[in-house]
Structure formats: C-alpha cells, structure tokens
Amino acid sequence: MALTVLHRKLFRDLWRIRAQALAISAVVALGVMVQVMMAGLTDTLTVTRDAYFERHRLAQVFEPLTRAPSSMMEQVNAIPGVLAAEGRVSGFGRIDADGGEPIQARVLSLPGPAGLNGILMTAGRKPIAGRSDEVVLLDTFAAARGIALGDTLGVTVEGRHQRLQVVGFARAPEFLFMPAPGEFFPNDGRFAVIWMERKAAAAVLDLDGAFNEVLALTTRERPRKAVLADLDRLMAPYGGGAGFVQDQQTSARFIEEELKGLRQSRLFLPPIFLAVAAFLLNVTITRIVQAERREIGLMKAFGHSGAEIAGHYLEMALMIAFAGALLGSALGVMLGRSLTGLYMEFYKFPYLVFSMHPGPFAGGLAFSLIAAALGAAIALRTVFRLTPAEAMRPPAPADFTHGRVGFLAIVTKFLDQPGRMILRQITRQPVRSLGTIAGVAAGLALNMAMLMIYSGFDHTMDVTFGFADRSDATVSFIHPVSRDGTHEIAHLPGVLEAEPTRYVPVLFRNGVITHRGELTGLSEDAQLNRALRPDLEPIALPAQGVVISRGLADVLKLQPGENLTAEVTEGRKRTLSLPVAAISDTLLGAPAYMRLDSLTRAVGEADRITSVSIRTEGAPSPELLHELRERPKVAGVSIKSDSLAAFREIADEGAGQMRFVFGAIAFVLSFGIVYNAARNAFSERAHELASLRVLGFTRGEVTLILAGEITVLVACALPVGIWFGWTLAQLIARVFSNELYRVSVSFDLPSIATAVLVVVSATLASILMLRRALDRLNMISALKARD
C-alpha cells in the first residue's frame, strides 16, 4: 500500500523532532513501566500465594489449645462447614548450636492423612515410621547454618535434651514470613522449624493420644468465622477458644499487607507520568502547529479537510505515546522480573515466576494513547479554526504589554537586556511556564518522597534499636517462669543489667474492631525496653491503664482517655477493660505496654515472666551463651546486633536497590520535561537567537538567554517540588503503614538535597545539549525561516 502525502510528512516530522519525541516517549514509558511492574508483581504474588496455599492445603481456620484427646476430632469434623480437619501436635524447642546462642525452634508433627498444612520436600526424605530420632528441617535455616543431610542436632524440648538426625529439608506455606518470636523481621539462621513423625512429636511434647492444635478447611457454603465460632465453643474446655482464620495467620497477613501497598501504589504513580506526558505532547504539538501555519494553509488549499490534517498531528502524538508504551511494557517486565527474585528471597516462596495478564499491558497502552490524545486535542482545535487564507498570513506579533505593568514592570527596571528577554518569554506564555514548573516539581517530588521513605527505614532502626530497645540481648523462656528467673540471669557472667518482661496474648477489641496481639508487661523502672513519646523521651507506665502504640491506636481507632478491651487468650482468659493512658511512638509492631505488677494482677496469675532483657559487657560472651544453653527452660537468645543486621540487610537489598531505580526515574522525568521545554523554546526562537548573533551577541550570551529561561523555571519549580514531595512522602507513608510496621518520614535534608541534585543534573544535561544545537545553528537558514 502506497504511503499518502500526509504519512510521508508524518515520518519526516517525527525524524525532525526525534530528540523531543524520544524524551516524551521516555516519560510515557516510565508511567507504563511502573504500571506493568506493579501489576505484574501483584499478579505474581497473588497467583503464587493462592496456588501455594491451595496445593499444600494451608488451613483456613486455626485453633490452638492446651490439650484435647484425639477422639475429639470426630466432633470437629462434624461441625457444619468443615471440609477437612486435622489435630496436630505443636510446641517449641531449642537447638543448641555448638559455641553459639540457643536457637528457638518450632516443633510440629508431620501432616496427617488430610494433608493440611502440607510441606514441600526440597531435599532428602521424610522420617521413617517408628524412627523417633529422624526429623525434617526447614531448608532456609539449614542453609543459613550450613547443616547437611545426615547431620545431627542437639535439641531440647520440654526440658529433655536429645540428638535428632536431619533426613530431609522442606519448606511450607505457613512459614513464608517467619521472624523468630520476639523479633520483627526474619533471619534465616535465627529460627528453625522441625517436623517429626506424629508419635515422636507427641512423645517429646507429652501429648500421647492427644493434640494441641486444630487445623481446618471450610466449605464455601458457610463463612469461616461461623465455623471458627463453633470450633471455639467446642474446644473451650480444652484450653481453646482463641482460634483465628487464615487472614490472621502471620505469613498470610504480611503478604496481604504487601499486596495492599502494591495495589495502592498503582493508583497514583502511573497517572503522574501520563499527565506529564500529556502536557509535553500538548506543548510540542502546539509549537509544531504554530510553526506550520503556512503548510496547514497549503494542505487545506489543496483539498485536505481540517479533520484529515488534525488526524495527521494526532497520529504523531499517538505514535510517540505508542512507542513509549511498548518501551514501558518491556522495561516493566524486566524490572518486575528482577524484583521477583527479591520477593522470592524475602518471602521464601519455592518458586515465583513473573507472570501477568494482558490487562495491564492493554491498560497501559490505552491510558497512554488517551493521555496523548487529550494532550494533542487542545492544540488541534487551532487546525480546525484556521482557514487557508488566514493560515497563509504570518501570525500576529506577540503582545508584551502585560509585562510592562504592575510588579513585572518594577522588576523589569532592575534587569539588564538578557534578563528582560528571559522574563518576557516566561510571562508571554504563563500556562506553558506553569506547566513546566509543575512537571519539574512532580519529578523532584517523586524522587524526594521515595528518598524520604527510605530514609525513614534508617530512622526506624535508630528509634527501635537505639532508643526503645537499649538491651544487648533478650533471653526467652519456653513457658512463663517465676520472676526470680530475672535474678538468676542477672548473675550470669558478663551480665550488667537484667529486666523482666511478660507477654500475654490477647484479642484487643474496640467495639466491632478487633486485633490479635499481646500485652507487654514491663517493670515500673524499665530502662532497657521503653515506650517512647514522639520526642523520644520515655513514657512512665501508669499504675492503672495501658500505653498503646500509634499503630495499634490507628487500627483500633482509640485515643487517650478511652477504654481498650483486652480478651486474654491463655490461662484464666479474663476480659480486661483498660483505660488508654498514652500513645507511644513505636514504629515496629503494635504493642500495648502495662506495668508488670498491674498486668500480673489483671490476668489473675502468679508473678511470672516470659523473657529477660539483658545488657552485657560488649557482645554476649561464649561463657554467657554456654550458661544459657545449660538451662532447659531457656527457649532462645535474641541478640540485638543480629536483629539489627537482619533489618539492615532487608533495607539494603530491597529498598536500597529501589532508591537507584526511582533516582533514575526522577532523572528521566526531569530531563524529559526540561529538555522539551528548552527544545521548544529553541525552535520557537531560532530566528530571534540568530538575529541576536547578527547583532553582536556572543554564543555565551545567547546561550545564557536561552538557558536563563529554563533555569528560572527550574528554580521556581524547586520550592514547589519540595513542598509537593513532602506532602507526597506523608501520603505514601500513610498508605504503606499498617499494624505490622509504621513508616515514619521526616523533613530529611539529605533526601531533599539528593532530589534537587538530580533535577539540577537533568537541567545541566539539557542545557549542554541545547548549547550543542546552538553551535550547529545555521544562521542564514534560521533568518530565512521561523522554524
């Protein structure tokens, strides 16, 4: 098919403005890239999670209890809505690593005939029936600790020490996200899971002929919460009654929070880029239409209709957007694939293949074309209005009278000739100037906001591990022990200070809002673990009432002075009504603090503790760790420096890489806007600039006039961008904060300086490219033609 005249002109025009077209396509590509990447990650995580949970039959209802006879499972299976149920044996133990700190371990019976909470064998085999000394070990723990198949582990369970042989490695969906008890972020070498043959597990946990946890799948005909309510009632006499559904399971909940953040990011990031691209296309098409008035007049004189000519320029805008959408789709897939590896490593998925539906590609393409059409539509109104006779006449000279009155007139008096020319050019087209300022500000704001979010991680580490937690290590007990355990730990070698802590699992309630968590009991004069005010000063725990974290207050919508209901899920299971005395600025978790003596009275139990925080002379010594290994009631030791290192590794590997990605995005966005603004100004004023050269202006002075306009616009954009960036950072922090962690942002000067530097670098790069074009300017041709 032969090309029409307009098509040949279209390709010729695209080649002529190729640099601008590439810059606009790059901005479109960024929007589509973010859209495709986040959609792909959302799809990948969702599909993989659902398939992994379904394939290994992750329970939809969990019911922990103290002890129930195996015969009770018949009644459990008879509950309406129960599709399959299984009673398993569950407990905690301790792995005694030679020369190291005791490591907490979860001890579980292998899945039964129903196959609920199944495991994925990654190496070796399952224990042979009747072999009580064979176990399957979580593969990520084995890899972190260098444990091989056939190795033996020294494990202490219920005070009894035994040697167990590792015959297989596995992973399971319920341990996708697995921080050690008392810690916030996973560390592969800090927490283990051991699966044993059912009889062997029951024997070591003193649960022969019984179980202490019910797992259940439900039918679609009955809501899970209704099944859970029946199960709670059935198991209440056996220490149950505090079950939960799959959504509240740690791994499932954390992944859902991640998906929630990705979904919300998709709503506001891509539109920013597409809005900027629409603006750039509007400016570029407007300039081309103005420059080609005579050609438009000639085309109309030769019989082309206004619609045909407008379609020609619309095709140009759509082809630029189409190229950007294709590039963005490819980049989105590439970036999504690279991030998939990070997600797989963090969440311990056995596989995570980046996949997505055609929808995001089609959506990105459609939105790009719509943005391009909208951007061009305003400019194309001129094409319809122009008559051939009018188009053949030169355009009316620009009116600069509005720049000679008021404030601008006063300012003009203090400017030299180049300064007046710069000011005149900026004020002559205020909408375009404001659009350029808004676009540059958007690029700066996006980069600055993300840098502030990442800086918030550093702030979180400083507050959590420097001010709130001032201990060096935490010693956890398998079961609550007498408070005298604090004195015993305090007299171990190298221990300078020891403070007790009691954790009591509860269901928080405020009206219809509920949240599973813990009451944290601290001593009245606690110095190693503290609740903090926003100014990082400690909050004195009241004799009556509770101090809750900001995260918990947001979830339960509570304010100081209101009452918090806490339903204790262990022991006597009392329901407490606690006045909220204050809100602490805790960034990790959603704790609720009480004085230890008040908590003990409230739950109606003896003065017991669950862990001891210690301050030591330097790092915990081998002698201290040896003494702790000799105590069977000790479940594990959490060393703060290890927790801090795990947090920093997560921040460096995940967020750390994303800093560079968003820095590159901000540079491209800023460069695209600044370069297009400068290029349009150069094209429109080529005749004027050439005249200046003829009149005796040097290349430097002409460059200054051209670059001065861009520099002034960028300078105006900087404060706007800083304000917008600060607002955007607070919005993103609010979106990503949840009950597990709270993102804190501050007016961080290094983040602002870095974001400004990126914009300045993009501006300098644009100016250098313009200078190169100015050096190549053919003055004779420029003086003969307007463009």
Side-chain angles (χ1 to χ4, degrees), residues 458 461-462 643-653:
D458 296 331
M461 282 190 279
D462 292 340
S643 300
L644 181 59
F647 191 111
R648 195 175 294 281
E649 182 180 354
I650 291 171
D652 290 344
E653 289 187 357

Side-chain angles (χ1 to χ4, degrees), residues 117-133:
N117 284 23
I119 62 175
L120 173 67
M121 295 297 299
T122 56
R125 58 172 175 82
K126 293 181 180 178
I128 298 173
R131 290 292 302 270
S132 61
D133 61 338

Side-chain angles (χ1 to χ4, degrees), residues 412-699:
T412 303
K413 292 179 181 178
F414 298 96
L415 297 177
D416 56 8
Q417 189 178 27
R420 289 195 294 274
M421 296 174 69
I422 292 171
L423 183 63
R424 183 193 64 188
Q425 189 64 22
I426 292 173
T427 56
R428 193 176 72 175
Q429 295 177 318
V431 175
R432 182 190 299 186
S433 299
L434 289 175
T436 302
I437 291 172
V440 175
L444 186 148
L446 179 63
N447 193 21
M448 178 182 140
M450 299 311 296
L451 288 173
M452 282 185 169
I453 294 296
Y454 301 139
S455 177
F457 285 111
D458 296 331
H459 177 69
T460 298
M461 282 190 279
D462 292 340
V463 171
T464 303
F465 298 105
F467 292 91
D469 180 3
R470 302 199 299 178
S471 67
D472 292 310
T474 301
V475 181
S476 302
F477 301 107
I478 293 176
H479 300 295
V481 301
S482 166
R483 192 165 179 168
D484 293 339
T486 307
H487 305 297
E488 183 181 343
I489 299 294
H491 288 86
L492 294 179
V495 176
L496 300 176
E497 198 173 352
E499 286 182 359
T501 303
R502 172 74 192 273
Y503 295 104
V504 176
V506 297
L507 178 66
F508 293 115
R509 186 183 297 279
N510 179 30
V512 296
I513 307 173
T514 60
H515 173 74
R516 296 178 63 86
E518 293 176 326
L519 284 170
T520 303
L522 301 175
S523 56
E524 181 180 357
D525 54 349
Q527 296 296 317
L528 299 183
N529 278 300
R530 307 178 300 173
L532 300 176
R533 297 198 305 245
D535 60 0
L536 302 183
E537 289 298 318
I539 299 174
L541 297 181
Q544 301 294 330
V546 61
V547 174
I548 64 175
S549 61
R550 172 61 62 190
L552 185 59
D554 290 343
V555 170
L556 297 176
K557 303 186 185 310
L558 281 171
Q559 296 295 327
E562 297 179 328
N563 269 3
L564 166 66
T565 300
E567 300 173 5
V568 179
T569 59
E570 69 173 15
R572 299 182 181 181
K573 298 185 177 177
R574 291 184 171 181
T575 298
L576 313 178
S577 180
L578 305 168
V580 177
I583 294 177
S584 71
D585 196 48
T586 305
L587 298 177
L588 290 181
Y593 301 99
M594 288 183 67
R595 274 175 45 172
L596 184 55
D597 53 352
S598 301
L599 178 60
T600 300
R601 286 194 301 273
V603 298
E605 295 180 354
D607 196 8
R608 297 193 298 170
I609 61 174
T610 50
S611 63
V612 175
S613 299
I614 59 175
R615 187 168 65 86
T616 60
E617 294 178 346
S621 63
E623 293 77 13
L624 172 61
L625 297 178
H626 173 76
E627 290 290 340
L628 292 173
R629 286 197 301 272
E630 293 298 311
R631 284 160 171 75
K633 293 182 180 179
V634 171
V637 178
S638 174
I639 299 176
K640 190 173 77 172
S641 59
D642 292 342
S643 300
L644 181 59
F647 191 111
R648 195 175 294 281
E649 182 180 354
I650 291 171
D652 290 344
E653 289 187 357
Q657 294 188 22
M658 288 303 293
R659 294 181 196 193
F660 298 108
V661 172
F662 275 96
I665 289 174
F667 180 87
V668 173
L669 182 60
S670 302
F671 175 78
I673 296 166
V674 173
Y675 179 74
N676 267 279
R679 188 70 200 185
N680 283 329
F682 176 77
S683 299
E684 290 174 349
R685 303 171 63 189
H687 180 84
E688 180 183 338
L689 297 174
S691 300
L692 292 176
R693 289 295 315 281
V694 172
L695 291 175
F697 281 72
T698 65
R699 287 183 178 177

Side-chain angles (χ1 to χ4, degrees), residues 208-495:
D208 287 327
F211 59 89
N212 62 353
E213 186 174 18
V214 176
L215 309 174
L217 291 178
T218 61
T219 61
R220 295 183 178 180
E221 287 72 24
R222 193 162 188 234
R224 294 175 186 177
K225 290 190 176 180
V227 175
L228 175 63
D230 287 348
L231 192 56
D232 277 343
R233 282 191 291 272
L234 179 65
M235 289 296 149
Y238 302 97
F244 53 92
V245 295
Q246 188 187 81
D247 296 344
Q248 297 171 308
Q249 199 267 340
T250 301
S251 293
R253 187 176 58 168
F254 209 93
I255 291 175
E256 183 55 36
E257 291 292 343
E258 182 72 35
L259 287 169
K260 178 182 170 185
L262 287 172
R263 294 189 193 106
Q264 292 177 333
S265 298
R266 289 171 57 188
L267 296 179
F268 66 87
L269 281 178
I272 292 177
F273 296 103
L274 295 180
V276 171
F279 164 73
L280 294 178
L281 281 167
N282 172 260
V283 172
T284 302
I285 298 297
T286 300
R287 182 190 65 77
I288 293 174
V289 168
Q290 289 174 349
E292 296 186 348
R293 285 170 58 95
R294 290 185 177 180
E295 287 83 351
I296 292 173
L298 283 172
M299 285 189 283
K300 287 195 171 183
F302 277 100
H304 290 286
S305 66
E308 288 177 325
I309 300 171
H312 159 73
Y313 290 108
L314 182 60
E315 277 187 90
M316 179 185 294
L318 294 179
M319 288 187 71
I320 293 172
F322 184 74
L326 290 182
L327 177 63
S329 298
L331 291 175
V333 172
M334 290 173 58
L335 188 58
R337 287 182 184 278
S338 65
L339 291 177
T340 297
L342 291 177
Y343 275 101
M344 195 170 87
E345 174 65 22
F346 186 73
Y347 286 114
K348 314 304 177 193
F349 280 105
Y351 54 87
L352 200 60
V353 180
F354 186 78
S355 63
M356 59 187 304
H357 302 298
F361 294 106
L365 179 61
F367 287 127
S368 301
L369 297 181
I370 290 172
L374 290 176
I378 301 174
L380 295 181
R381 291 182 304 177
T382 307
V383 175
F384 287 100
R385 288 201 298 261
L386 277 177
T387 61
E390 182 186 358
M392 297 294 286
R393 290 196 300 268
D399 180 12
F400 298 108
T401 55
H402 63 280
R404 299 174 184 171
V405 296
F407 176 74
L408 292 177
I410 298 174
V411 173
T412 303
K413 292 179 181 178
F414 298 96
L415 297 177
D416 56 8
Q417 189 178 27
R420 289 195 294 274
M421 296 174 69
I422 292 171
L423 183 63
R424 183 193 64 188
Q425 189 64 22
I426 292 173
T427 56
R428 193 176 72 175
Q429 295 177 318
V431 175
R432 182 190 299 186
S433 299
L434 289 175
T436 302
I437 291 172
V440 175
L444 186 148
L446 179 63
N447 193 21
M448 178 182 140
M450 299 311 296
L451 288 173
M452 282 185 169
I453 294 296
Y454 301 139
S455 177
F457 285 111
D458 296 331
H459 177 69
T460 298
M461 282 190 279
D462 292 340
V463 171
T464 303
F465 298 105
F467 292 91
D469 180 3
R470 302 199 299 178
S471 67
D472 292 310
T474 301
V475 181
S476 302
F477 301 107
I478 293 176
H479 300 295
V481 301
S482 166
R483 192 165 179 168
D484 293 339
T486 307
H487 305 297
E488 183 181 343
I489 299 294
H491 288 86
L492 294 179
V495 176

Side-chain angles (χ1 to χ4, degrees), residues 2-59:
L3 293 176
T4 65
V5 173
L6 290 180
H7 281 117
R8 286 196 292 272
K9 180 179 182 301
L10 171 64
F11 292 121
R12 188 173 64 242
D13 290 344
L14 283 173
W15 177 252
R16 180 166 53 85
I17 64 165
R18 57 189 179 279
Q20 282 181 272
L22 285 175
I24 297 172
S25 292
V27 175
V28 174
L30 291 179
V32 177
M33 180 190 75
V34 174
Q35 162 77 11
V36 170
M37 177 193 72
M38 290 189 166
L41 289 175
T42 304
D43 286 351
T44 300
L45 279 177
T46 302
V47 171
T48 306
R49 176 198 61 180
D50 293 347
Y52 195 33
F53 284 6
E54 183 178 0
R55 187 171 302 168
H56 295 279
R57 297 170 69 85
L58 180 66

Side-chain angles (χ1 to χ4, degrees), residues 755-769:
V756 170
L757 183 62
V758 170
V759 172
V760 171
S761 300
T763 305
L764 290 176
S766 300
I767 291 174
L768 289 175
M769 293 180 70

